[in-house]
Amino acid sequence: MTDLELVSDFVERLARAGIRSVVGGSMASSVWGQPRQTNDADISVWLRADQVQNLVAALPDPYNLVPDEVEEATRSTVDFASFKVLHMDEVFSFDCFVHGDSEWTDALWDTRRVVGTLAFLGPEAILVLKLRWFVLGNKVSDRQWNDICQVIEVQGDRLDRSWAQLWATRFGVDALLEQALAQARP
């Protein structure tokens, strides 16, 4: 299976289990910026604790996950609470970031755009998320920074800069957003 086929199968299984999801991370930044190789998929999931058993049932062998880790992620209040699902036959990893109900997660969901058969977080959301990851990684990841600049360059005037600025300001990464906007060559 190709990576996109694996991701399609995964999100279709979640949808059948009544769990909303959208593709983010490097796969999304590759859609909105310059493609690059990745060995996993970041999936944003809107998952409640009462849906964990539905998720487990939707992902039988060859998928592998630890239900306790999923439940812990649904109860967590930390940013970027997540759990991992492995596809054992394809040696492919899904990093699932759990979103609850909040203004931010509603705004994330509203940016989604369908490309082919998959829904991806919009380029503005990817910018803000990658800026936050860049800060969490002590601002040293060239890969994150390049993804940010390439999304800006490729999207150009299609980028909703006011959306990105609003959320970058709320998360305290607005100066970095301005730096990236100045550095990128749209």
Side-chain angles (χ1 to χ4, degrees):
M1 270 194 208
T2 68
D3 291 354
L4 287 177
E5 289 170 334
L6 286 166
V7 173
S8 291
D9 179 66
F10 186 80
V11 298
E12 286 171 16
R13 288 170 181 271
L14 296 182
R16 286 194 301 267
I19 300 165
R20 295 187 304 161
S21 66
V22 63
V23 180
S26 298
M27 282 194 160
S29 66
S30 290
V31 167
W32 308 126
Q34 294 295 320
R36 74 169 171 85
Q37 183 63 38
T38 183
N39 294 337
D40 65 1
D42 290 351
I43 309 292
S44 289
V45 294
W46 281 257
L47 180 68
R48 300 180 317 269
D50 66 341
Q51 294 176 302
V52 171
Q53 289 310 313
N54 292 349
L55 175 83
V56 172
L59 298 170
D61 191 44
Y63 290 99
N64 183 291
L65 69 153
V66 178
D68 289 345
E69 289 177 5
V70 179
E71 288 177 10
E72 183 178 326
T74 64
R75 291 189 305 270
S76 179
T77 58
V78 301
D79 287 342
F80 304 111
S82 66
F83 61 91
K84 188 175 289 294
V85 178
L86 299 173
H87 190 289
M88 302 305 285
D89 289 347
E90 300 292 334
V91 191
F92 193 84
S93 173
F94 298 89
D95 294 324
C96 299
F97 294 90
V98 178
H99 299 291
D101 293 324
S102 70
E103 183 182 7
W104 164 240
T105 61
D106 289 346
L108 275 180
W109 178 257
D110 290 343
T111 70
R112 75 192 182 289
R113 297 182 192 167
V114 176
V115 177
T117 60
L118 288 172
F120 293 88
L121 288 173
E124 302 79 12
I126 291 303
L127 282 181
V128 173
L129 287 166
K130 285 203 168 269
L131 286 166
R132 293 177 69 198
W133 274 109
F134 184 70
V135 170
L136 285 172
N138 295 316
K139 302 179 186 177
V140 297
S141 174
D142 289 339
R143 184 172 29 183
Q144 294 290 352
W145 189 255
N146 289 336
D147 286 350
I148 291 162
C149 291
Q150 289 171 356
V151 167
I152 293 167
E153 290 173 4
V154 171
Q155 293 304 305
D157 292 338
R158 294 182 303 272
L159 190 65
D160 185 344
R161 291 173 187 236
S162 62
W163 190 99
Q165 186 63 51
L166 168 75
W167 289 103
T169 300
R170 289 194 185 181
F171 289 115
V173 294
D174 47 320
L176 282 173
L177 175 61
E178 291 306 317
Q179 182 182 344
L181 288 167
Q183 180 180 330
R185 299 174 302 273

